[in-house]
Amino acid sequence: MDKDTGKAFDFRLFKRLMRHTKPYRLTFYGVALAAILLSGFAVATGVIAGDIVNDAISPKDADKLLFLSLLMLAILFAQVLSQLGFNYYANWLGESIIKDVRISLFQKMLGFKMTYFDRSSIGLLVTRAVADMQRIGEIFSQGFFVIVADLLKMLTAAIAMLVLNWRMALIVFALLPIIMIATRLFQKAMKVAFIEVRAQVSNLNSFVQERITGMKIVQLFTREEIEKENFRGINEKHQNAWLKTVWYNSIFFPIAESVSSIAVALMVWFGVLQNVANVGSENTGIIVTFIFLIELLFRPLRQIADKFNTLQMGMVAANRVFKILDTESHIDDLGTVEKEDVKGDISFSDVRFGYIADEEVLHGISFDVKAGETVAIVGATGAGKSTIINLLSRFYEINSGMILVDDIDIKAYKLSSLRDKIAVVLQDVFLFADTIANNISLKNNEVSVADIEQAAKQIGVHEFISSLPGGYQYNVKERGTMLSSGQRQLIAFLRAYVSNPSILVLDEATSSVDTYSEQLIQKATEKITEGRTSIIIAHRLATIKKADKIIVMDAGKIVESGNHKELLKKGGYYSNLYEAQFMAEEVA
């Protein structure tokens, strides 16, 4: 929750938000002009109504009545046109600004380190990019400009009152402090309430997204009732947060309405007294005008409180979005090297790394991979195998040491150039809710369907894809749920092959698949590793017998290195691991 919950308005934050209006300066000024015109037209309507009573109805002047009625009609028509332009372009400006801010936010997210996503709620980030953005748009469409227009109406109405009858004006002004104090208290209370609302919306989004994503686990472990009760609790907190805002509204608006009604009653009473005392015969018209002006003075004040709520919700949302935009959690892309012909030589030199400060995962790792070699990395879960791949792709920054590709520090490479030369096939394959063709090419216009089909034939997966309804145009739905784990692996292999990388990484790519898929994957592996540097991470040691080198890791350190036969002869960690797996497979 924000520290400045007691502040009714954050001008520093608002000033920053207003910078985003610069590309739309002409529209901004146009909306501001419409707001000024609306205030003038509103007051003019009330003044003309009074003139009609005094100058046309009382003296029964038909010509004057016709003229003033036509004038009022013209002003009302102009007011409608101004209101139309005001509403449309204020909303257009708001949507244009959130479009720009949302692009900036998404671009910022694309550059974050993996550490940021490791520690952040996906539901919360989705809320920032979608719901909070709409709140920011409402600052302009329903907040700031409406408040400015209403303030101008109030100012113009107050000046008109003073000019027409300063005694009656002072009676009205005497009631203003009551509603202004109520408005101030209302604004401060609503600021705190809306911060709580946004927090509960984020919690609700995160909870729902996680449970829907993990629905298999929920149902598999019969957690339905427990999760329903958890959801009930979160939903009640969300409801209570909103009900608090409803309660504040229920208190404030009746007070505002009562003060407005009292002001009208006092004007009628005072005007009648003046007529009885024969102070002036024009007071009937002035009373009518004042009734119009009181409405212009008090109704905007009530609306300002309401619109200020919208403005505050937008400011709270903007504060949350700007916090993400201000987050410094990106890999420094200061490199300048862009090599088209990366051979694939890899060297780790005394690399130390930890996901959390003072908790090292890798303890001085050093090894070399020659271009075109196939190197396997094995070890128990948590040994640091996948961490090596994350560091090679620069998803995280190392604490110390050096990683070289073709004898060049990976920090010297332009980030996109480095990653463009590395393809990774993960155990948990991620597919987008799109066609197989688009999941393979990732919508790269330089990769045609014909190229994909040719590559699929080369690694032996064309027949499998062609057997699906629609073939390469088959939609795999969210996360590829329409395919088996083995089929998703094959798609990932084809995606890696089509990208034509210099360095290929297979991270547990053959685990948890059926025998038929494993055969296809083995064939695909032989094809895509041919002639390129390959790093294979595997638990199943039978799949890496042909590797040129096997690196054995334990607890973040390299404990052995050599080929399959050499390591078996040593009778060390690898030999024990291999024998244990072999005996387990025999028993199975």
Side-chain angles (χ1 to χ4, degrees):
M1 192 173 289
D2 297 331
K3 294 180 180 178
D4 60 341
T5 54
K7 294 176 66 176
F9 192 76
D10 190 336
F11 285 98
R12 178 190 58 80
L13 184 64
F14 183 71
K15 184 178 179 181
R16 178 177 180 180
L17 191 61
M18 290 299 289
R19 295 194 198 112
H20 291 275
T21 65
K22 286 184 179 179
Y24 313 103
R25 192 171 293 134
L26 188 61
T27 303
F28 181 88
Y29 291 142
V31 174
L33 177 61
I36 295 171
L37 292 175
L38 284 172
S39 64
F41 292 146
V43 171
T45 302
V47 172
I48 292 173
D51 288 342
I52 288 174
V53 172
N54 281 339
D55 301 337
I57 295 177
S58 294
K60 298 181 181 180
D61 188 338
D63 292 336
K64 194 67 174 285
L65 178 62
L66 178 63
F67 171 75
L68 291 175
S69 297
L70 291 174
L71 180 60
M72 178 177 281
L73 186 63
I75 290 175
L76 289 173
F77 182 71
Q79 189 175 4
V80 168
L81 290 179
S82 298
Q83 191 70 56
L84 178 65
F86 178 84
N87 290 342
Y88 177 79
Y89 285 105
N91 279 276
W92 183 89
L93 182 64
E95 291 299 321
S96 299
I97 289 170
I98 64 174
K99 178 198 69 175
D100 295 344
V101 176
R102 186 180 282 127
I103 289 172
S104 298
L105 180 66
F106 189 69
Q107 186 175 0
K108 183 78 174 184
M109 289 181 181
L110 289 175
F112 280 152
K113 296 178 183 178
M114 288 299 108
T115 305
Y116 182 86
F117 297 104
D118 294 341
R119 299 174 181 176
S120 300
S121 163
I122 301 302
L124 184 143
L125 293 177
V126 171
T127 300
R128 299 292 175 268
V130 181
D132 282 344
M133 285 298 174
Q134 287 307 126
R135 294 296 183 187
I136 293 174
E138 289 171 1
I139 289 177
F140 298 94
S141 62
Q142 301 178 34
F144 172 70
F145 284 116
V146 176
I147 291 174
V148 169
D150 285 343
L151 286 173
L152 286 172
K153 287 178 184 177
M154 291 174 62
L155 178 63
T156 310
I159 293 172
M161 284 180 179
L162 288 170
V163 171
L164 291 171
N165 190 313
W166 63 271
R167 292 183 181 85
M168 295 174 70
L170 290 179
I171 293 174
V172 175
F173 295 164
L175 297 174
L176 279 178
I178 299 173
I179 196 168
M180 291 179 72
I181 292 171
T183 300
R184 176 65 174 174
L185 294 174
F186 179 67
Q187 290 168 355
K188 293 184 73 173
M190 290 298 280
K191 173 71 181 292
V192 177
F194 281 138
I195 289 175
E196 178 64 20
V197 166
R198 298 312 305 156
Q200 294 305 327
V201 167
S202 295
N203 291 340
L204 191 62
N205 287 346
S206 298
F207 183 89
V208 171
Q209 177 158 345
E210 285 184 355
R211 270 53 184 188
I212 290 175
T213 303
M215 190 56 70
K216 279 186 179 179
I217 300 299
V218 172
Q219 294 183 356
L220 194 63
F221 288 89
T222 62
R223 296 268 306 176
E224 291 92 339
E225 287 299 318
I226 295 173
E227 296 300 343
K228 185 177 75 173
E229 289 304 313
N230 290 338
F231 179 76
R232 190 192 303 278
I234 292 174
N235 202 29
E236 284 180 359
K237 288 181 180 178
H238 177 263
Q239 178 193 30
N240 291 336
W242 273 109
L243 285 177
K244 191 177 291 185
T245 68
V246 174
W247 170 246
Y248 292 147
N249 278 293
S250 300
I251 295 174
F252 172 75
F253 286 103
I255 292 175
E257 288 289 342
S258 299
V259 174
S260 178
S261 299
I262 291 171
V264 171
L266 286 174
M267 284 305 95
V268 174
W269 172 76
F270 186 76
V272 170
L273 281 182
Q274 284 191 314
N275 274 333
V276 170
N278 293 319
V279 174
S281 60
E282 79 283 0
N283 283 310
T284 303
I286 291 180
I287 291 172
V288 171
T289 299
F290 261 74
I291 291 173
F292 269 88
L293 296 179
I294 287 171
E295 189 67 12
L296 283 179
L297 190 64
F298 284 88
R299 184 181 63 190
L301 194 56
R302 297 195 302 271
Q303 290 181 346
I304 285 173
D306 189 33
K307 297 306 177 184
F308 207 90
N309 296 342
T310 301
L311 184 61
Q312 285 180 323
M313 286 193 74
M315 295 296 286
V316 171
N319 189 40
R320 293 174 183 272
V321 170
F322 285 144
K323 278 184 178 179
I324 297 178
L325 288 171
D326 293 339
T327 300
E328 292 300 327
S329 179
H330 63 276
I331 299 294
D332 292 329
D333 191 8
L334 304 177
T336 57
V337 177
E338 292 186 82
K339 290 187 66 176
E340 291 295 330
D341 55 343
V342 172
K343 294 185 297 181
D345 287 318
I346 301 172
S347 177
F348 275 62
S349 178
D350 195 27
V351 173
R352 295 180 178 274
F353 171 76
Y355 293 100
I356 302 173
D358 301 323
E359 292 185 23
E360 275 193 356
V361 175
L362 298 182
H363 311 288
I365 296 294
S366 298
F367 66 88
D368 296 311
V369 182
K370 295 179 181 178
E373 274 190 340
T374 296
V375 173
I377 303 177
V378 301
T381 301
K385 306 184 297 298
S386 296
T387 300
I388 289 176
I389 306 311
N390 288 331
L391 297 181
L392 178 62
S393 302
R394 283 201 75 194
F395 286 137
Y396 303 88
E397 294 282 28
I398 61 177
N399 295 349
S400 64
M402 187 176 292
I403 302 174
L404 307 177
V405 171
D406 284 4
D407 297 322
I408 300 173
D409 192 328
I410 59 173
K411 293 182 180 179
Y413 283 93
K414 196 171 182 179
L415 199 56
S416 58
S417 178
L418 173 69
R419 291 177 179 171
D420 190 48
K421 301 303 177 185
I422 302 172
V424 181
V425 179
L426 300 171
Q427 176 185 357
D428 184 17
V429 177
F430 185 91
L431 298 180
F432 295 95
D434 207 332
T435 64
I436 286 179
N438 285 339
N439 268 290
I440 293 168
S441 67
L442 297 177
K443 296 188 177 181
N444 184 347
N445 294 328
E446 296 180 2
V447 180
S448 66
V449 176
D451 294 332
I452 294 171
E453 289 185 15
Q454 181 63 29
K457 291 175 182 176
Q458 290 174 356
I459 68 171
V461 298
H462 175 69
E463 184 177 343
F464 139 65
I465 296 175
S466 299
S467 67
L468 297 171
Y472 290 87
Q473 300 307 315
Y474 180 65
N475 194 310
V476 300
K477 304 301 180 184
E478 188 174 359
R479 299 185 66 89
T481 54
M482 301 304 291
L483 302 176
S484 69
S485 59
Q487 290 172 330
R488 291 197 294 271
Q489 287 285 1
L490 291 170
I491 298 300
F493 268 80
L494 184 53
R495 179 161 61 192
Y497 185 59
V498 165
S499 68
N500 191 28
S502 300
I503 300 170
L504 177 69
V505 179
L506 306 180
D507 188 355
E508 306 288 0
T510 57
S511 62
S512 304
V513 298
D514 57 87
T515 305
Y516 175 71
S517 296
E518 184 175 356
Q519 291 173 353
L520 289 177
I521 289 173
Q522 288 294 346
K523 180 181 178 181
T525 301
E526 292 175 5
K527 180 64 179 178
I528 67 177
T529 57
E530 190 176 290
R532 58 168 53 91
T533 305
S534 303
I535 298 176
I536 302 175
I537 296 176
H539 280 304
R540 300 175 65 178
L541 306 185
T543 62
I544 57 170
K545 290 180 180 179
K546 296 180 182 179
D548 297 307
K549 183 191 296 182
I550 299 172
I551 296 172
V552 186
M553 295 190 65
D554 183 39
K557 296 180 180 179
I558 296 176
V559 293
E560 289 179 337
S561 179
N563 60 37
H564 177 69
K565 292 182 178 178
E566 291 171 347
L567 292 174
L568 286 181
K569 288 180 181 178
K570 288 183 179 179
Y573 190 98
Y574 179 82
S575 178
N576 294 335
L577 194 63
Y578 184 79
E579 288 179 10
Q581 280 196 14
F582 180 77
M583 291 184 66
E585 289 175 3
E586 285 290 315
V587 172

